[in-house]
Amino acid sequence: MLSVQDNDLLCRVGPGTPMGNVMRQYWLPAVRSDELPAVDAPPVRIRLLGEDLIAFRLTSGKVGLIQNACPHRGASLFFGRNEEEGLRCVYHGWKFDETGSCVDMPSEPAESNFRGKVHAKAYPTSERGGVIWAYMGPREVPPALPDLEANMLQDGAYGIYCILLESNWMQGWEGEMDTIHQAFLHSGATQVEDTKPGSFAYYIAKQRHAMFDVLDQEFGTSYGVRRPAEADTYYWRIAHQMLPFYAMVPTGVLGLEVRFRAYVPMDDEHTMMWTVTGRSGNRPTTPRGSAQMGAVNVKHLPNTSDWYGRWRLPENLSNDFMLDRELQKSGESYSGIRGIRQQDAAVTGSMGTIYDRSREHLGTTDALIIRTRRRLINTAKALRDHGTIPPGVDNPQIYRQRSGGVILPRHVEWWDATKDLRRAFVDHPELEAFAAVGDA
């Protein structure tokens, strides 16, 4: 459990908050490249860390990210004209470039120098691997982008999907940390006889509880969770929680999976979950932007121009995530909710927008959550009280990791034994034959 004060510190991300200041040290996934598909395309409303922003692609192809309210009298720049390397407010014609500088002020006399005194808040962007990143921090020269392998692949060798979550970012991130729920929420209805002997699903169905080992890392925390496999082996699920909000989940085969998730706070009560997935070596890939790459039954409502209108699930709190009690009762589904992402969103959203963690009763399988919370809280306090730069900001290579499942002899130490398999940008063609044993 957490105190009310620490829970508040952990969850609040608006301007000036300790955790918000931590987030602003890093580059943040802000918008998909295909949401701004062409130069001078219509602007897009983006809510990020409690700020209302407008994203637009300039005539040159660069991406601007600027405050919503025009500095003149507050009209929304969403209605602006995206033309000739700038966004022009339709109220009085003031035009701003991607740096926030006012480059034209036709409502003022030609001899006026007023435009040079007006500046809109704007944030630097960087585009890589289908993701437009934003830097909202204090540095004039931003740090390097994180070396997340799935975001560093050649065009077409990755897939991206996003989901809007109607809850605090920490609830979603903790759901990714909590690998033990996979044996219940997602596969609780799976019986041993329904699985292939020797598969990961087989070992989970045989023993739903597991033993945890949690390690502090430079990038955050890692865990190894083991279950008995054969008489002389264990099945290990190995994953990482990486500051400030990344998760490398234990799906698939360790050494083959190239994937990360990010729980990016839109504000204190809404989160954009990103999943970016690639494959190592010459494995088949799904074209960029496919919602099915690494996803299970992910479909979206049509995007709208609302602040919370992007990447919404049809299944949501308003319709109980289309819970089917007959499906639940029949034994075909443990939860009665179809889809892994929908199941996760249902349980984390059902806690309320910000759960009061002083009411929790944590068990042994919550070891990673406890450790990661403490790491985050200490990071926020160190920045607030001593100006200590958070981990990974100036060391992007620490994100060069892989996660997944593996079968190991019982006598070996799991972290040392998987060193080569956890290393990013390394091909393991010898593992291709084992890919079918992985779980989604």
Side-chain angles (χ1 to χ4, degrees), residues 206-355:
K206 282 186 66 176
Q207 179 176 302
R208 299 191 187 277
H209 65 276
M211 300 297 293
F212 275 68
D213 191 17
V214 180
L215 302 175
D216 285 327
Q217 306 289 357
E218 185 179 4
F219 54 71
T221 48
S222 297
Y223 67 84
V225 176
R226 65 173 168 84
R227 291 180 172 90
E230 303 308 313
D232 58 346
T233 59
Y234 287 123
Y235 161 47
W236 287 90
R237 290 170 65 87
I238 297 170
H240 317 293
Q241 301 302 128
M242 313 176 88
L243 272 62
F245 42 51
Y246 298 108
M248 290 190 176
V249 295
T251 56
V253 176
L254 181 64
L256 290 181
E257 291 302 299
V258 178
R259 181 190 316 228
F260 71 87
R261 288 204 174 98
Y263 285 81
V264 183
M266 299 173 71
D267 51 35
D268 293 344
E269 299 182 347
H270 298 83
T271 303
M272 189 63 72
M273 187 206 81
W274 291 70
T275 299
V276 183
T277 304
R279 294 287 190 180
S280 63
N282 297 315
R283 296 196 59 185
T285 61
T286 302
R288 182 177 77 178
S290 168
Q292 295 306 312
M293 189 172 190
V296 179
N297 297 330
V298 175
K299 297 180 180 179
H300 298 94
L301 295 171
N303 279 359
T304 72
S305 61
D306 185 74
W307 294 110
Y308 306 116
R310 301 161 51 237
W311 311 117
R312 298 164 300 152
L313 292 172
E315 307 87 356
N316 52 60
L317 289 168
S318 69
N319 57 30
D320 297 323
F321 287 85
M322 298 184 183
L323 170 63
D324 186 333
R325 290 293 186 187
E326 290 303 316
L327 184 67
Q328 186 185 62
K329 189 175 181 179
S330 70
E332 292 183 50
S333 169
Y334 192 78
S335 66
I337 297 171
R338 293 176 174 86
I340 288 177
R341 293 293 106 197
Q342 292 85 344
Q343 293 162 3
D344 284 338
V347 296
T348 56
S350 71
M351 301 172 186
T353 52
I354 302 179
Y355 185 65

Side-chain angles (χ1 to χ4, degrees), residues 2-321:
L2 288 178
S3 68
V4 172
Q5 292 76 17
D6 278 351
N7 193 53
D8 196 58
L9 184 150
L10 193 67
C11 297
R12 304 290 180 180
V13 295
T17 61
M19 193 58 66
N21 289 340
V22 169
M23 298 282 185
R24 285 166 173 80
Q25 297 289 321
Y26 297 88
W27 283 98
L28 310 172
V31 60
R32 286 171 44 153
S33 294
D34 57 8
E35 293 184 79
L36 298 171
V39 300
D40 297 331
V44 175
R45 287 187 175 105
I46 302 294
R47 192 154 171 78
L48 200 57
L49 301 185
E51 297 187 35
D52 291 338
L53 305 169
I54 304 298
F56 62 105
R57 191 180 293 279
L58 285 76
T59 310
S60 62
K62 296 183 293 185
V63 174
L65 190 64
I66 196 168
Q67 69 182 58
N68 171 60
C70 177
H72 183 200
R73 284 165 54 190
S76 174
L77 290 173
F78 172 77
F79 297 104
R81 298 171 57 92
N82 186 8
E83 58 188 18
E84 299 174 345
E85 287 296 283
L87 192 60
R88 188 184 296 276
C89 180
V90 295
Y91 200 4
H92 296 93
W94 291 18
K95 183 178 177 180
F96 300 88
D97 66 13
E98 79 280 6
T99 71
S101 296
C102 184
V103 295
D104 191 24
M105 194 176 283
S107 62
E108 292 291 313
E111 64 273 14
S112 172
N113 65 355
F114 185 41
R115 76 174 189 181
K117 301 177 181 179
V118 177
H119 194 85
K121 181 187 293 184
Y123 294 115
T125 66
S126 183
E127 191 167 7
R128 186 180 71 185
V131 179
I132 297 168
W133 299 78
Y135 177 71
M136 302 173 68
R139 300 185 184 187
E140 289 189 16
V141 178
L145 292 174
D147 284 3
L148 292 158
E149 184 180 9
N151 182 240
M152 301 174 73
L153 303 176
Q154 293 182 351
D155 192 50
Y158 54 84
I160 300 172
Y161 70 91
C162 297
I163 295 175
L164 174 73
L165 302 175
E166 297 176 290
S167 56
N168 183 259
W169 72 279
M170 196 65 191
Q171 283 163 223
W173 201 36
E174 288 179 347
E176 290 294 346
M177 297 184 211
D178 177 32
T179 187
I180 202 70
H181 82 266
Q182 192 272 346
F184 299 92
L185 179 65
H186 302 320
S187 58
T190 302
Q191 303 301 311
V192 174
E193 56 269 23
D194 300 326
T195 63
K196 180 181 178 181
S199 67
F200 294 171
Y202 175 79
Y203 298 128
I204 293 173
K206 282 186 66 176
Q207 179 176 302
R208 299 191 187 277
H209 65 276
M211 300 297 293
F212 275 68
D213 191 17
V214 180
L215 302 175
D216 285 327
Q217 306 289 357
E218 185 179 4
F219 54 71
T221 48
S222 297
Y223 67 84
V225 176
R226 65 173 168 84
R227 291 180 172 90
E230 303 308 313
D232 58 346
T233 59
Y234 287 123
Y235 161 47
W236 287 90
R237 290 170 65 87
I238 297 170
H240 317 293
Q241 301 302 128
M242 313 176 88
L243 272 62
F245 42 51
Y246 298 108
M248 290 190 176
V249 295
T251 56
V253 176
L254 181 64
L256 290 181
E257 291 302 299
V258 178
R259 181 190 316 228
F260 71 87
R261 288 204 174 98
Y263 285 81
V264 183
M266 299 173 71
D267 51 35
D268 293 344
E269 299 182 347
H270 298 83
T271 303
M272 189 63 72
M273 187 206 81
W274 291 70
T275 299
V276 183
T277 304
R279 294 287 190 180
S280 63
N282 297 315
R283 296 196 59 185
T285 61
T286 302
R288 182 177 77 178
S290 168
Q292 295 306 312
M293 189 172 190
V296 179
N297 297 330
V298 175
K299 297 180 180 179
H300 298 94
L301 295 171
N303 279 359
T304 72
S305 61
D306 185 74
W307 294 110
Y308 306 116
R310 301 161 51 237
W311 311 117
R312 298 164 300 152
L313 292 172
E315 307 87 356
N316 52 60
L317 289 168
S318 69
N319 57 30
D320 297 323
F321 287 85

Side-chain angles (χ1 to χ4, degrees), residues 198 200 252-253 256 283 405 407 428-439:
F200 294 171
V253 176
L256 290 181
R283 296 196 59 185
I407 306 296
H428 293 281
E430 74 279 5
L431 297 177
E432 295 291 342
F434 300 101
V437 306
D439 59 297

